[in-house]
Amino acid sequence: FPHQYTEQEAKKLGVVGWVKNTSQGTVTGQVQGPEEKVNEMKSWLSKVGSPSSRIDKTNFSNEKEISKLDFSDFNTRY
């Protein structure tokens, strides 16, 4: 599953965090940044995604205000 598209989109929007594949064939991750940028990323993940991906459903949880970012960039975890 090519996550370089997700990384490119995150870097373009200026959000940080990570993404990884799960053993169930789904994708999990964390996104941090300004609220409007995070919302743009959520929209991209829900509607666009990587060219070869099929998006059946997206679930966003644990949303909260943070005082500082926990990550310095956006990357893929394995």
Side-chain angles (χ1 to χ4, degrees), residues 11 20 37 50 55 59 61:
K11 289 181 167 89
K20 76 174 197 141
K37 298 297 184 192
S50 300
I55 304 166
N59 178 23
S61 59

Side-chain angles (χ1 to χ4, degrees), residues 63-75:
E63 295 187 39
K64 60 182 187 288
E65 295 270 335
I66 54 173
S67 55
K68 67 176 185 56
L69 300 173
D70 297 322
F71 310 100
S72 56
D73 62 358
F74 194 94
N75 56 39

Side-chain angles (χ1 to χ4, degrees), residues 24-63:
Q24 293 82 38
T26 61
V27 176
T28 186
Q30 190 171 356
V31 177
Q32 295 183 349
E35 187 177 12
E36 71 275 9
K37 298 297 184 192
V38 170
N39 286 337
E40 284 182 53
M41 189 70 193
K42 282 163 59 177
S43 176
W44 184 87
L45 289 166
S46 302
K47 299 183 179 79
V48 186
S50 300
S52 60
S53 66
R54 192 183 88 227
I55 304 166
D56 294 324
K57 107 180 152 67
T58 49
N59 178 23
F60 301 104
S61 59
N62 301 330
E63 295 187 39

Side-chain angles (χ1 to χ4, degrees), residues 1-11 18-22 25-29 41 44-45 49-53 74-78:
F1 189 81
H3 286 305
Q4 75 256 29
Y5 298 100
T6 306
E7 289 184 25
Q8 281 170 3
E9 189 66 19
K11 289 181 167 89
W18 55 271
V19 65
K20 76 174 197 141
N21 294 335
T22 71
T26 61
V27 176
T28 186
M41 189 70 193
W44 184 87
L45 289 166
S50 300
S52 60
S53 66
F74 194 94
N75 56 39
T76 302
R77 291 184 177 179
Y78 299 97

